[in-house]
Amino acid sequence: GAAAAGDAAAAAGWPNVVVAYEPVWAIGTGKTATPELAQQAHATCRAYLADKVSADVAAATRIMYGGSVKPANCDELAKQADIDGFLVGGASLKAESFARIIAAKQS
């Protein structure tokens, strides 16, 4: 049943898995996906996990968004259902910016 599937997922190490998604066109460009586009990509990743592994694993896996996350866009990205956190690049080098991004996902 579902408990056995959950136990099997835990035994396979899935609770330790984190998936990071970043659009290839965002790498090093300073461009960010719209919240809707980022959500769609994350939902697709989660659906893939549900189909290929299990619904429990898909629900429990943390899927992070990386793609020029900054204080100006983190709130809208953080509101998306399938974005569980951020993979922060350059904004992590400034403590105030990084703290603001962290706060966006904590609220």
Side-chain angles (χ1 to χ4, degrees):
D7 291 342
W14 281 101
N16 298 316
V17 171
V18 176
V19 174
Y21 167 78
E22 181 171 2
V24 69
W25 49 261
I27 298 171
T29 65
K31 296 180 181 178
T32 305
T34 64
E36 296 78 17
L37 182 61
Q39 168 57 29
Q40 181 180 19
H42 282 239
T44 299
C45 291
R46 202 170 302 282
Y48 179 86
L49 288 171
D51 182 53
K52 301 297 181 188
V53 185
S54 75
D56 287 341
V57 166
T61 299
R62 292 165 291 173
I63 304 177
M64 315 300 263
Y65 177 76
S68 297
V69 177
K70 26 186 151 346
N73 59 27
C74 63
D75 288 328
E76 289 304 311
L77 288 166
K79 291 177 186 176
Q80 304 308 306
D82 289 297
I83 296 178
D84 298 316
F86 303 118
L87 180 65
V88 183
S92 68
L93 300 175
K94 297 179 182 171
E96 192 172 307
S97 293
F98 194 41
R100 175 69 188 83
I101 293 166
I102 291 168
K105 209 46 194 164
Q106 291 178 333
S107 54

